Amino acid sequence: MSLGSKKILIVDDEPRTRQGIKQTLEVWAGGRYVVETADNGVEARERLLHEQVHLLITDVRMPEVSGIDLIRSLKERPRQPVVIVISGYAEFDYVQQAMRLGAFNYLLKPLDKAELLQVVEAALKQEEEVQRREKLEKLVDPKLFQIDPDGSGMGEPVREAITYVEQHLQEQLTMAEVAARIHLNASYFSVLFKEQAGVPFSEYLSRLRIQRAKEMLLQSRLSIGEIGERVGYKTDKYFIKVFKSLEGISPSRYRNQHIEDNQTEIQ
């Protein structure tokens, strides 16, 4: 998602404050962000239901629908904007409520431009980090996520095997070869690995290869064949077969689907 597609919504029933923030942010953003306003909480709540807003800057006290009400309404949304609240000195109890509800930070009136920009930049960085984590969580194979090499139930031989596999994933690995590397009988290693990792070695190897492949599909422009080769598959055909067995779709469809999802998010 490009920065220029990200939206900042300013909500305040005081025209001077609302326009002042808008002008300050537009000059600072230089076209990198879309900066919009709403003059009351009712309008803002409706827009938040139907539009993707990345940063919400709202006054805490407004007639009918307050900033606190707006923050509460966001709990129903799957993707919530980062929230900055604005208040006067006499309204600090409202600020405390907003912070308890998950607001990122607050600004006191009269607003200081330098402080406004500092807080906005920090809020947008957090929003980027939340998005990055969400995307990584979607990529992670849940079975791989459950394998903890540093956990108390993981012995040194299996830990060594996992490290070796991660470092040599592009090679034609076999269970017998990995077992020999850590000086264990292949049959014993097979039982030990499944017991401590929770999955058979062959399944672990396939899942790890496909995990790496998914990352490359989304983070590079390498061809399907090149990606398959880099994660240890000799032929495109076999790589595609294993990928489909674990993900339910082909590597090319997986890549295109995520491109389409990103374009939908931008709109």
Side-chain angles (χ1 to χ4, degrees):
M1 182 180 294
S2 65
L3 287 175
S5 68
K6 292 199 171 185
K7 185 180 293 184
I8 299 171
L9 179 63
I10 302 155
V11 190
D12 199 306
D13 57 343
E14 295 179 7
R16 188 173 176 180
T17 301
R18 186 173 67 247
Q19 291 305 316
I21 296 173
K22 184 176 190 292
Q23 289 169 10
T24 299
L25 293 185
E26 283 182 332
V27 171
W28 162 79
R32 293 176 300 159
Y33 300 92
V34 176
V35 183
E36 297 183 352
T37 64
D39 58 16
N40 61 74
V42 176
E43 178 193 347
R45 186 169 60 184
E46 185 65 22
R47 290 174 63 175
L48 286 164
L49 283 172
H50 300 99
E51 300 175 20
Q52 179 63 58
V53 173
H54 301 85
L55 173 60
L56 172 66
I57 303 174
T58 179
D59 193 1
V60 288
R61 289 193 69 182
M62 294 179 290
E64 294 188 70
V65 175
S66 69
I68 303 297
D69 296 329
L70 282 180
I71 297 171
R72 286 199 183 101
S73 72
L74 294 173
K75 298 299 179 185
E76 307 300 320
R77 290 182 56 87
R79 177 168 290 173
Q80 301 173 20
V82 181
V83 180
I84 297 170
V85 294
I86 307 166
S87 78
Y89 283 100
E91 302 163 338
F92 201 71
D93 56 331
Y94 289 94
V95 171
Q96 290 176 318
Q97 286 184 57
M99 299 300 285
R100 284 195 293 269
L101 288 169
F104 172 74
N105 210 332
Y106 66 91
L107 294 164
L108 295 176
K109 297 178 181 178
L111 299 183
D112 177 82
K113 284 186 179 181
E115 184 184 11
L116 168 65
L117 296 179
Q118 184 179 21
V119 172
V120 164
E121 286 178 347
L124 288 167
K125 280 182 183 177
Q126 173 166 299
E127 194 272 338
E128 290 258 339
E129 179 59 24
V130 168
Q131 272 201 22
R132 189 187 69 82
R133 285 201 303 267
E134 285 177 354
K135 286 183 178 179
L136 286 175
E137 285 170 7
K138 288 178 183 177
L139 287 178
V140 173
D141 184 315
K143 286 198 175 181
L144 288 179
F145 187 72
Q146 290 170 8
I147 298 172
D148 181 11
D150 299 319
S152 58
M154 189 75 71
E156 189 58 33
V158 173
R159 192 178 291 119
E160 281 183 33
I162 288 174
T163 300
Y164 181 80
V165 169
E166 288 177 344
Q167 293 174 349
H168 298 82
L169 201 60
Q170 74 282 3
E171 300 173 14
Q172 303 302 307
L173 298 171
T174 65
M175 187 175 70
E177 178 192 347
V178 175
R181 288 277 178 178
I182 58 173
H183 311 293
L184 287 180
N185 170 274
S187 297
Y188 175 66
F189 171 68
S190 175
V191 173
L192 190 67
F193 191 93
K194 185 176 181 181
E195 182 182 281
Q196 296 184 3
V199 294
F201 176 81
S202 59
E203 182 181 343
Y204 167 75
L205 181 58
S206 294
R207 286 183 178 278
L208 185 60
R209 283 176 164 159
I210 298 308
Q211 175 69 42
R212 292 279 177 86
K214 288 193 295 183
E215 292 168 8
M216 282 190 259
L217 283 165
L218 302 188
Q219 297 172 7
S220 77
R221 295 187 178 182
L222 294 171
S223 70
I224 303 302
E226 286 175 308
I227 290 173
E229 188 176 333
R230 290 193 184 197
V231 296
Y233 292 102
K234 284 184 177 180
T235 67
D236 299 10
K237 187 176 180 181
Y238 188 56
F239 168 50
I240 293 168
K241 180 182 177 181
V242 177
F243 194 101
K244 287 181 76 173
S245 72
L246 289 175
E247 296 299 320
I249 56 175
S250 68
S252 57
R253 181 59 192 148
Y254 180 88
R255 175 182 265 169
N256 291 336
Q257 198 172 72
H258 279 266
I259 290 171
E260 289 166 7
D261 288 346
N262 284 341
Q263 288 174 341
T264 301
E265 287 175 1
I266 287 172
Q267 293 172 358

